[in-house]
Amino acid sequence: MRIAILALQGAFEEHRQMLLRLGVENFLVRNLDDWKQKKDALIIPGGESTTILKLLYDLSLFDLVRSEILTGLPVFGTCAGLIMLDSNHLATMNIQVKRNAYGRQLGSFFTEGDFIGISGKIPMTFIRAPYIETTCNGVEVLSVVNGNIVAARQGSQLVTAFHPELNDDTRVHEYFLRMIEK
Ligand code: GLN
């Protein structure tokens, strides 16, 4: 298995470390040539969604990434990566997102929460995070924190509003690997 990590901006290196710990081959996508490599899945990291969006357009990656996801490339988006998949950006998932949803004071926080399909509490680091306001057709809610949806899945697309790559716990990444294998 070989996973592409979008590395235009943000916390891509942490995802790479996570995959290396799990023994999963991966490569960074910084431009169109990188993107053309063979891949079994894609990770879109956290960062700044406006910047990532602009770079996707500037590098002529937007339509290619979108069409590969729509034709079945499994994808995992964290935080800004979640925003990128919503109906206002790549629009591959039926979710509407509220950005910077917790206000300035509570912008960043840590908690532990439940995650459907994983037993035990998951450490969740939120950094100026979004949450999912509404979902429709085919979206399964996987985690709710303080009444807000913070993880969801639609087919082979997985999103979390928190950053599993910033904690030692590898279980959310392993969950994604199981999705790819199916
Ligand atoms: N606030 C960022 C945005 O709106 C997301 C923050 C993050 O990815 N940690 O894009």
Side-chain angles (χ1 to χ4, degrees), residues 46-49 79-80 83 99-100 127-128 163:
E48 199 51 49
S49 55
C79 203
I83 297 169
R99 284 183 63 199
N100 300 320
I127 303 173
R128 292 180 301 107
H163 287 266

CSV table of all heavy atoms in Angstrom, one decimal, residues 46-49 79-80 83 99-100 127-128 163, ligand 1:
chain,number,residue,atom,x,y,z
A,46,GLY,N,-4.1,19.0,8.2
A,46,GLY,CA,-4.6,20.3,8.8
A,46,GLY,C,-3.6,21.4,8.4
A,46,GLY,O,-2.5,21.1,7.9
A,47,GLY,N,-4.1,22.6,8.5
A,47,GLY,CA,-3.3,23.8,8.1
A,47,GLY,C,-4.2,24.9,8.0
A,47,GLY,O,-5.1,25.2,8.8
A,48,GLU,N,-4.1,25.6,6.8
A,48,GLU,CA,-5.1,26.7,6.6
A,48,GLU,C,-5.8,26.4,5.3
A,48,GLU,O,-5.2,26.4,4.2
A,48,GLU,CB,-4.2,28.0,6.5
A,48,GLU,CG,-5.0,29.3,6.7
A,48,GLU,CD,-5.9,29.2,7.9
A,48,GLU,OE1,-5.4,28.9,9.0
A,48,GLU,OE2,-7.1,29.5,7.8
A,49,SER,N,-7.1,26.2,5.4
A,49,SER,CA,-7.8,25.7,4.2
A,49,SER,C,-7.8,26.7,3.1
A,49,SER,O,-7.8,26.3,1.9
A,49,SER,CB,-9.3,25.4,4.6
A,49,SER,OG,-9.9,26.4,5.2
A,79,CYS,N,-8.9,18.3,10.0
A,79,CYS,CA,-9.1,19.7,10.3
A,79,CYS,C,-9.2,20.5,9.0
A,79,CYS,O,-10.3,20.4,8.4
A,79,CYS,CB,-7.9,20.2,11.2
A,79,CYS,SG,-8.3,21.7,12.1
A,80,ALA,N,-8.2,21.3,8.6
A,80,ALA,CA,-8.4,22.0,7.3
A,80,ALA,C,-8.6,21.0,6.2
A,80,ALA,O,-9.3,21.3,5.2
A,80,ALA,CB,-7.1,22.8,7.0
A,83,ILE,N,-12.2,20.5,6.0
A,83,ILE,CA,-12.9,21.6,5.3
A,83,ILE,C,-12.7,21.4,3.8
A,83,ILE,O,-13.7,21.7,3.0
A,83,ILE,CB,-12.2,22.9,5.8
A,83,ILE,CG1,-12.5,23.1,7.3
A,83,ILE,CG2,-12.7,24.1,5.0
A,83,ILE,CD1,-11.7,24.3,7.9
A,99,ARG,N,-16.2,26.7,10.1
A,99,ARG,CA,-14.8,26.9,10.3
A,99,ARG,C,-14.6,27.7,11.6
A,99,ARG,O,-15.4,28.5,12.0
A,99,ARG,CB,-14.2,27.7,9.2
A,99,ARG,CG,-14.0,27.0,7.9
A,99,ARG,CD,-13.3,27.8,6.8
A,99,ARG,NE,-12.0,28.2,7.2
A,99,ARG,CZ,-11.3,29.3,6.7
A,99,ARG,NH1,-11.9,30.0,5.8
A,99,ARG,NH2,-10.1,29.6,7.1
A,100,ASN,N,-13.4,27.5,12.2
A,100,ASN,CA,-13.0,28.3,13.4
A,100,ASN,C,-14.2,28.3,14.3
A,100,ASN,O,-14.6,29.4,14.8
A,100,ASN,CB,-12.5,29.7,13.0
A,100,ASN,CG,-11.3,29.6,12.1
A,100,ASN,OD1,-10.4,28.8,12.3
A,100,ASN,ND2,-11.3,30.5,11.1
A,127,ILE,N,-7.3,22.4,17.0
A,127,ILE,CA,-6.5,23.6,16.8
A,127,ILE,C,-7.3,24.5,15.9
A,127,ILE,O,-7.4,24.2,14.7
A,127,ILE,CB,-5.1,23.4,16.3
A,127,ILE,CG1,-4.4,22.4,17.2
A,127,ILE,CG2,-4.4,24.7,16.1
A,127,ILE,CD1,-3.0,22.0,16.6
A,128,ARG,N,-7.9,25.6,16.4
A,128,ARG,CA,-8.8,26.5,15.6
A,128,ARG,C,-9.6,25.6,14.6
A,128,ARG,O,-9.7,25.8,13.4
A,128,ARG,CB,-7.9,27.5,14.8
A,128,ARG,CG,-7.3,28.5,15.7
A,128,ARG,CD,-6.4,29.5,15.0
A,128,ARG,NE,-5.4,28.9,14.2
A,128,ARG,CZ,-5.4,28.8,12.9
A,128,ARG,NH1,-6.3,29.3,12.2
A,128,ARG,NH2,-4.4,28.2,12.3
A,163,HIS,N,-6.9,16.5,15.4
A,163,HIS,CA,-5.6,16.1,14.7
A,163,HIS,C,-5.1,14.8,15.3
A,163,HIS,O,-4.2,14.9,16.2
A,163,HIS,CB,-4.5,17.2,15.0
A,163,HIS,CG,-4.7,18.5,14.2
A,163,HIS,ND1,-4.1,18.7,13.0
A,163,HIS,CD2,-5.5,19.6,14.5
A,163,HIS,CE1,-4.5,19.9,12.5
A,163,HIS,NE2,-5.3,20.4,13.4
B,1,GLN,N1,-8.6,27.2,11.0
B,1,GLN,C1,-8.1,26.4,9.9
B,1,GLN,C2,-9.0,26.7,8.7
B,1,GLN,O1,-10.0,27.2,8.7
B,1,GLN,C3,-8.1,25.0,10.2
B,1,GLN,C4,-7.1,24.7,11.4
B,1,GLN,C5,-6.4,23.5,11.3
B,1,GLN,O2,-6.3,22.8,10.3
B,1,GLN,N2,-5.8,23.1,12.4
B,1,GLN,O3,-8.6,26.3,7.6
